[in-house]
Amino acid sequence: MSDDSSADLRKNDGQQFGRLPETDADRTVEGRVSRAAVVDYFEDRFAIPPGTFDDYTFWEKGAGKIWLYSGEADSPLEIEAIGMTCLRTRQEHWKPTTDFVQRFGAHASECVIDLDREAARRFAAGEDQELEWDGDWGYLIAAHTVVGEREPLGIGLYVHGELRSMVPKGRQREL
Amino acid sequence: MEPFERYRPIIDDFEAFLAACERPLGNAVRVNTIKASPERATAALEEDDVAYEQAEWNPRVLRLETDSPGSTWTSFHGFTHGQEEVSAVPPVVLDPQPGERVWDCCAAPGGKATQIAALMDDRGTVVANDNNLGRISALRFNAERLGATSLAVTNDDARNYSMKRFPFDEFDRTLVDAPCSCEGTIRKNPDALDNWSEGHIDTIAGIQKGILRRAIQTTREGGTVVYSTCTFAPEENEAVVQHAIDEEDCRVVDFDLEMEHAPGLTEWRDEAFDSTLEQAARIYPHHNDTGGFFVAKLEVTA
């Protein structure tokens, strides 16, 4: 982006939801990612088909906190919450939320690490564990098998032979 | 249980009612169909050796034989949500349809709002409002855990709720699960009667009337408003609905409920209520071994 155009951009307002621009070229708020960038990220990283999100809109409230919503709303919108938080941008590595992964992670076919029941139990409790993984390091979807089908548990961070559980404290459970 | 004596003339088998109120309540959960079908949720419970019984009136309501229903894989994945069996009744009576605009005006902590979203296949707009900011965080937590994407959360007083924030100016349906004296929660919360007084009931009834009136005003002609409380007090139930039909364009309508219940009252002390109030439902603890509830269904008229 040129310096000329960035001068015209508004600052993000943490008190209201703003709908993401369709593409980077439509951007009117400084630093705000586009819908295309979000959908591309989910496809590039996790092979989630872009069509998965056809019936949804994406919004930002707070710097880099992206929300996904299927209802009706005008932008901007001053309310408490819409839909669910799905992604943290404005940091070097974008980070999906546990709740998003539990809801949409079944559409993913890459960067999913399948855990046995005991490893799943430790992951749900918030523990880190040493595990073999020959794919990309970074944020992964941890999953296990429930009644014969893959079921996402949440988001994990894989580095240096270790899977770190990113399940938020309030969502951790001793199972 | 002293405050309940005034209900002796209106409750059939009053001794059985009192006895039920003294028994603790079991653990019930609702299957969250946004994340799992009842078949998958129950198969997951079986896989983990958690015993359950499906409620006859609604196969999505399960009675679990465990002391910690939150420490199950089905709960972690959001397949199930701890919700008292009788609390699952009002959204079923509301009968929301996919694609509609629905307002849950007293929504925290979100059990019924997420049930409404699930009944709509998470398609449409569910506006979940609560006036208590502290309870909004619980509402948001539950909505995200259960994967509801059609839910919008607002923090306002429902009595003078503004529609200006949305790109539409009326709802198809509204649930008024009103703040109340909570007498019907005595089995879950033994302190429920500690602050009981008739003066307290009268104060709450005034708030309830204001909320129900606004709910009717914001719902389209032909739309549905369901009024519910978890209390037995006629001042907070039939009298509030009577006030609504006197002051707003609406009428009480009948509904099916595959659960044992008593009809709404047509008189209480010196006050007479419209005969249509018989179509409301009073659910007592000794009827289905649940908590207590009152539910009335209204249609908005011209």
Side-chain angles (χ1 to χ4, degrees):
Chain A
M1 187 185 311
S2 73
D3 289 340
D4 291 347
S5 65
S6 67
D8 299 330
L9 295 180
R10 287 179 285 114
K11 290 246 189 286
N12 178 64
D13 182 342
Q15 297 305 306
Q16 65 187 27
F17 286 94
R19 193 166 161 170
L20 296 195
E22 284 302 313
T23 67
D24 289 351
D26 302 322
R27 189 194 328 262
T28 57
V29 174
E30 194 183 323
R32 178 164 290 168
V33 299
S34 65
R35 174 192 173 89
V38 167
V39 172
D40 285 351
Y41 166 79
F42 288 133
E43 185 183 23
D44 291 347
R45 180 75 190 164
F46 302 106
I48 298 175
T52 305
F53 305 109
D54 282 354
D55 295 334
Y56 299 90
T57 52
F58 289 94
W59 302 70
E60 182 178 26
K61 182 188 184 189
K65 199 174 183 182
I66 309 301
W67 306 60
L68 163 144
Y69 179 55
S70 63
E72 295 170 76
D74 282 328
S75 180
L77 179 65
E78 287 195 37
I79 64 173
E80 298 300 315
I82 48 174
M84 67 195 307
T85 53
C86 66
L87 187 65
R88 278 273 183 192
T89 60
R90 305 207 195 188
Q91 52 196 39
E92 188 185 349
H93 297 288
W94 290 11
K95 183 186 173 193
T97 64
T98 286
D99 290 316
F100 169 80
V101 160
Q102 281 200 352
R103 174 77 160 84
F104 292 94
H107 296 283
S109 53
E110 284 175 21
C111 286
V112 181
I113 189 163
D114 290 294
L115 306 179
D116 63 25
R117 189 52 62 98
E118 182 50 34
R121 196 167 273 133
R122 295 181 60 183
F123 187 88
E127 293 176 33
D128 303 336
Q129 46 195 323
E130 307 228 327
L131 281 171
E132 298 267 328
W133 168 254
D134 57 8
D136 279 350
W137 289 14
Y139 292 116
L140 306 180
I141 294 172
H144 68 152
T145 301
V146 174
V147 209
E149 281 175 49
R150 181 188 259 177
E151 193 65 47
L153 292 153
I155 201 81
L157 176 63
Y158 192 87
V159 280
H160 304 294
E162 188 180 58
L163 177 67
R164 296 182 191 161
S165 172
M166 296 285 123
V167 176
K169 266 228 156 48
R171 291 282 270 114
Q172 293 171 7
R173 288 289 179 279
E174 300 289 339
L175 291 151
Chain B
M1 302 288 168
E2 188 61 31
F4 288 169
E5 278 302 321
R6 66 193 202 122
Y7 303 135
R8 193 178 279 274
I10 61 168
I11 298 181
D12 264 353
D13 203 350
F14 188 72
E15 296 308 322
F17 163 79
L18 281 184
C21 288
E22 280 168 9
R23 286 197 301 272
L25 208 54
N27 280 307
V29 297
R30 172 176 58 82
V31 176
N32 171 36
T33 50
I34 294 173
K35 285 203 169 171
S37 64
E39 294 73 25
R40 183 158 167 75
T42 52
L45 286 169
E46 284 164 21
E47 196 171 71
D48 281 327
D49 294 323
V50 179
Y52 64 89
E53 185 192 355
Q54 281 176 293
E56 275 178 27
W57 70 279
N58 188 334
R60 295 177 180 193
V61 174
L62 312 176
R63 298 171 193 145
L64 295 195
E65 288 176 29
T66 170
D67 292 333
S68 46
S71 297
T72 59
W73 281 113
T74 58
S75 170
F76 180 76
H77 285 297
F79 293 0
T80 55
H81 178 66
Q83 187 172 348
E84 205 196 309
E85 178 168 343
V86 79
S87 280
V89 170
V92 172
V93 174
L94 187 68
D95 194 26
Q97 301 298 311
E100 288 186 334
R101 298 160 178 157
V102 179
W103 188 29
D104 183 352
C105 62
C106 312
K112 297 182 190 73
T114 50
Q115 185 183 357
I116 288 167
L119 288 168
M120 293 163 63
D121 296 332
D122 203 23
R123 289 192 288 121
T125 303
V126 181
V127 176
N129 177 70
D130 205 275
N131 71 334
N132 184 329
L133 189 60
R135 283 158 54 100
I136 291 272
S137 61
L139 169 60
R140 286 183 49 190
F141 177 83
N142 285 322
E144 296 216 359
R145 188 179 75 82
L146 299 174
T149 66
S150 57
L151 207 80
V153 178
T154 63
N155 174 214
D156 263 310
D157 187 330
R159 290 174 291 185
N160 46 31
Y161 197 76
S162 165
M163 297 295 289
K164 284 197 177 126
R165 68 199 107 199
F166 295 109
F168 49 86
D169 52 20
E170 52 188 10
F171 292 102
D172 296 300
R173 297 174 204 259
T174 300
L175 174 62
V176 183
D177 185 53
C180 69
S181 58
C182 298
E183 295 170 350
T185 66
I186 188 75
R187 301 181 65 183
K188 191 170 60 180
N189 172 18
D191 303 332
L193 299 178
D194 284 1
N195 294 316
W196 191 97
S197 73
E198 293 199 349
H200 181 51
I201 286 176
D202 289 339
T203 304
I204 303 176
I207 297 166
Q208 291 160 339
K209 286 171 183 168
I211 298 173
L212 180 55
R213 287 190 66 174
R214 185 67 189 141
I216 294 160
Q217 291 162 5
T218 57
T219 304
R220 69 168 167 82
E221 185 186 336
T224 299
V225 175
V226 165
Y227 179 76
S228 62
T229 70
C230 54
T231 204
F232 308 117
E235 297 91 334
E236 299 180 58
N237 293 328
E238 286 87 350
V240 173
V241 176
Q242 181 68 48
H243 180 80
I245 58 180
D246 288 343
E247 301 293 328
E248 301 291 336
D249 295 321
C250 66
R251 64 186 186 101
V252 182
V253 294
D254 203 9
F255 58 90
D256 290 324
L257 179 58
E258 307 288 318
M259 191 185 222
E260 193 183 338
H261 60 277
L265 304 177
T266 52
E267 57 180 353
W268 170 250
R269 295 185 171 173
D270 299 333
E271 202 177 346
F273 306 122
D274 196 273
S275 63
T276 56
L277 269 154
E278 282 182 334
Q279 298 172 104
R282 294 186 146 257
I283 305 167
Y284 293 119
H286 60 303
H287 281 156
N288 313 276
D289 196 20
T290 63
F293 238 78
F294 172 86
V295 186
K297 186 172 190 172
L298 301 172
E299 181 189 304
V300 179
T301 56

